[in-house]
Amino acid sequence: MTKILFSDKLDKCVERWKSAGFTVIGPVQRANISTYAAVEHAAELEFGLILPDRSIKDLFFPQSEPMLRYTIKKESIDTDECLPPVGPRIIFGARPCDASGMAIDDPLFGWDYKDEYWFQRRNESVIVTIACTKADDFCMCTSLKMAPDSCKGSDILLRPLAGNKGWQVEELTDRGREAFKTIADLLQESSEQAAPIAVVEKKFDLDACVAWLQNPEHFESRFWKEISMRCIGCASCTYLCPTCHCFDIQDEGDTYTGIRRKNWDSCSFALFTMHTSGHNPRSTQSARWRQRIMHKFNYFPGKFSVNSCSGCGRCSRQCPVDMGITETLQEISKLSL
Amino acid sequence: MSIEEQYRTRAKELLSGGAVKMVIGYGKGTTASRRRPLFISSPDDVERLVLDDACITNLSGYLVSEGLLSDEKRVAVFLRPEGIRAVNILAAESQLDAEQIVIFGFDVSGTEVRALKGIHVEEFSDVIGSIKEGAPEASEEELFEKIEKMSPQERFSFWQEEFAKCIKCYACRQACPMCYCRRCIVDSNQPQWVNTSSHSLGNFEWNIVRAFHLSGRCVECGNCDRACPVNIPLRLINHRMAEEVLGAFDHFAGMSKTQEPVLASFKKDDSETFIL
C-alpha cells in the first residue's frame, strides 16, 4: 500500500495550499509557450508536456532582478536593498531534470558568497516533482547518470498511475512532508501501481567524455572548431538551461539615481569575456562553446563534485542550428574510444 | 537524377577542381525531420549533403562569418530565393563580393524541391522579380489579419504580452543574415547605450530597434521566427514593415546586388524635407 494523490483531489489540494499561504506554481501552456507559472486552479496545470519550454530556473534565478535602488547625493549615497518578494510556494509538477538542476546549482550559489536571492527562493519553495512516463529524442537524463524518476532536488516525488488517475506520493524531505500535512486527509492508501517510467536511451559515455575533457592536450583540439562551426552565438541554450547560472550586474539610471540589476549573461556571447582593452581571451565561437562544455563537465565537477548538466536536453531541442550538449558529448565519446 | 544528387555531383566537381573552397549546405539533423547547416571542404564528404523540403534555414548569414571570404576564394552555398535576396543585400551593403558566392539555388513547394537555374546572384533576378509580383498584399496568416484589425491599444497589449516572453538571448539577431554588425548597438557598453535588462522596457527597446533596423532589409526568410526559443511571432513584425516599405517606396529588398538600401539613401528631389 502506498499513499496516493488522486487527480480529482488536486483542485482541493490547490485550494488547501493557497489557504495555507502557499503560492501554487506548475507547468502551464500560455501565449504559445510552456513555462512554470502561478495558478489559481488545478485545471490550469498542463501535465501532458514532456517538459516545459522554459526551465524551472526562472523561478529561482529570474532573467532580470533588481538588487538595489540608489540615489547619489552630494556627500553620500543612499541605497535601498531589494530582496525577492517571495513567500512560501509549492512548485507542483516539476520534472526530475529541472528539480535536480536546482540542487546542482546550490553549491555554486553558496560557495564563497551565499547568494541570498537564490537561497531565499530555495528555502521558501517546495518542489513536487512528477516522474516522467514520456520522453523525446532530446531527453538525456540517463546519460548523465540520472533517471526519469530521480529524486535529486525534489521535496516530494510523484509517480503517475496509469491512465492519469493520480500519483503515488513519496515524501523525501521535511519541507515536503510539512507541505503535504495540509492535504493529509486528501491522500488515500491504495495498492494502485505506478505507470512505467519513460525509457531514455543512453546517448554517450559520460565518464569517457569527462576523461577526454580533463586531458589538457585536448584543449586545443581541432574538434572544438569542427563541432561548433555552425554555432551562431545566441544564448538560447544557456538561457533555457536549468543549470547555467552566469549573470552580469548592471546599473540602470541617470547620473544621480538608478537601480542595480542582476541580469542573465551567457558564455555564448562575444561580449562575455571581452576585456576593457578590447582583447578577448575567447575571441572565437569555438572557444566559447569549448568553455561551455568544459565548465559543465570539467571545471564545475572539479570544484563541486557534480556535473553542471541535468540532462533535460533543452539546449539541443531548441537550438536554431541543431547543435547541443548531446551531439558534442556523443562525438567526444567516439573520440575517446 | 534527383536535385540532391545533381547538387552533390556539382559540389564534388567544384571542390575537386578548387573552384570553391567550401560548400555550405544541409546535413542530417538530430531527428528525422531536422536538417542542420553543414560545411563541406573535401570532395569526399559531399555524400553528407542533404536536400529536401526540410532544408529551411537560410544559410546566407554564414557567408559573412569573420574571415570566411577574406582570402578572396569562392564559397558555394545552398539557398532558397530568400537566401539569394539576402546575398544581394549583403552585396549591396558592401558586406561581401558577390563574385565569391556560388549559388546552389532551390525552392520548395509543399514537399517538392526544385532547382533554380543559375550560379551567380544576378542570374536569379527573374525568380526574385516573380516573388515580388506574386507577393500577397497582406500575409495569408490569420494572426496577421487579426492584429491588423486590432485597435492601437489592443495591438500594444498583444505585443506587450509577446515581448514579455523575450529573454534577450538574441537568437533572432544571431540567426538573421542581415544582423551582421560586428558589434550590435545593444552590445556597445562604453557607454551602455541600450539597457541589457530583459524587463518590459528592455524587451520593447530591443524588439523595436530590431524591427526598424530590418525595415526595407528583411527578406522574410523566417530564421528569426524559427530561432526564437520563446515563440514570439517575429515574422509578423517583419512582414508588416516590409509591406510599409513596399507601399511607401516600392522597395522590395534584395532585388539586385546594386539595389540602393532604401532607408540609407537620399535623393535630392525627395518629397520629405529631412531624413531621420
Side-chain angles (χ1 to χ4, degrees), chain A residues 29-34 53-54 58 63-64 137-138 229-236 239-240 248 250-253 261 263-264 268-271 274-278 283 285 316-323 327, chain B residues 22 28-32 34-39 41 57 62 66 161-162 164-175 183 186-190 192 195-199 203 223 226-232:
Chain A
Q29 179 79 46
R30 285 178 191 162
N32 204 18
I33 180 138
S34 50
D53 297 327
R54 299 282 302 267
D58 305 358
Q63 63 206 46
S64 181
D137 293 331
F138 300 95
M229 210 159 168
R230 64 183 189 277
C231 178
I232 54 174
C234 74
S236 164
Y239 285 2
L240 298 177
D248 184 28
Q250 287 265 343
D251 289 347
E252 277 181 13
R261 306 188 72 98
N263 294 336
W264 284 355
S268 303
F269 292 146
L271 203 60
M274 180 87 82
H275 295 181
T276 322
S277 66
S283 60
Q285 206 56 40
S316 314
R317 201 177 281 112
Q318 302 276 8
C319 176
V321 292
D322 195 41
M323 270 181 62
E327 183 210 8
Chain B
M22 180 188 279
K28 279 187 185 162
T30 306
T31 62
R34 282 196 180 195
R35 299 292 171 260
R36 57 172 66 148
L38 183 67
F39 306 86
S41 309
T57 305
Y62 287 116
E66 207 165 352
E161 194 183 345
E162 288 299 330
K165 301 191 301 194
C166 179
I167 48 175
K168 282 199 178 181
C169 68
Y170 300 126
C172 49
R173 173 185 79 185
Q174 298 305 107
R183 196 155 185 176
V186 300
D187 290 338
S188 296
N189 58 357
Q190 293 174 340
Q192 187 78 54
N195 292 330
T196 64
S197 304
S198 176
H199 46 38
N203 291 349
N223 268 12
R226 286 187 300 272
C228 180
V230 295
N231 305 326
I232 301 171

Side-chain angles (χ1 to χ4, degrees), chain A residues 135-206:
Chain A
D136 68 8
D137 293 331
F138 300 95
C139 290
M140 51 159 178
C141 55
T142 51
S143 309
L144 272 305
K145 300 183 182 181
M146 281 181 270
D149 59 350
S150 289
C151 297
K152 188 174 179 166
S154 303
D155 297 299
I156 302 276
L157 182 74
L158 301 179
R159 293 173 187 278
L161 306 176
N164 299 325
K165 275 187 290 182
W167 305 270
Q168 285 183 353
V169 178
E170 193 179 335
E171 292 170 348
L172 301 165
T173 65
D174 287 343
R175 198 184 294 162
R177 268 183 283 278
E178 202 56 40
F180 266 50
K181 268 187 192 160
T182 57
I183 57 155
D185 59 312
L186 297 171
L187 302 178
Q188 276 169 257
E189 287 290 332
S190 162
S191 56
E192 289 262 4
Q193 292 300 301
I197 58 163
V199 177
V200 181
E201 178 205 353
K202 205 175 153 203
K203 298 188 163 73
F204 48 81
D205 179 347
L206 182 65

Side-chain angles (χ1 to χ4, degrees), chain A residues 4-56:
Chain A
I4 303 281
L5 167 57
F6 282 102
S7 304
D8 56 2
K9 296 276 170 53
L10 185 58
D11 205 42
K12 268 203 174 132
C13 296
V14 172
E15 278 298 311
R16 201 72 72 75
W17 285 322
K18 276 165 48 192
S19 15
F22 287 103
T23 301
V24 182
I25 295 171
V28 297
Q29 179 79 46
R30 285 178 191 162
N32 204 18
I33 180 138
S34 50
T35 56
Y36 293 98
V39 296
E40 292 299 317
H41 303 285
E44 295 166 60
L45 296 167
E46 178 57 73
F47 297 119
L49 304 164
I50 290 191
L51 78 172
D53 297 327
R54 299 282 302 267
S55 90
I56 201 175

Side-chain angles (χ1 to χ4, degrees), chain B residues 93-132:
Chain B
E93 294 182 359
S94 308
Q95 296 307 307
L96 52 75
D97 176 359
E99 293 306 307
Q100 278 178 267
I101 312 301
V102 174
I103 295 172
F104 285 45
F106 70 101
D107 204 357
V108 179
S109 45
T111 54
E112 191 201 345
V113 183
R114 101 195 136 80
L116 298 177
K117 265 194 185 166
I119 292 171
H120 294 293
V121 75
E122 52 274 18
E123 294 170 67
F124 299 89
S125 54
D126 290 350
V127 176
I128 299 168
S130 66
I131 300 173
K132 185 191 172 188

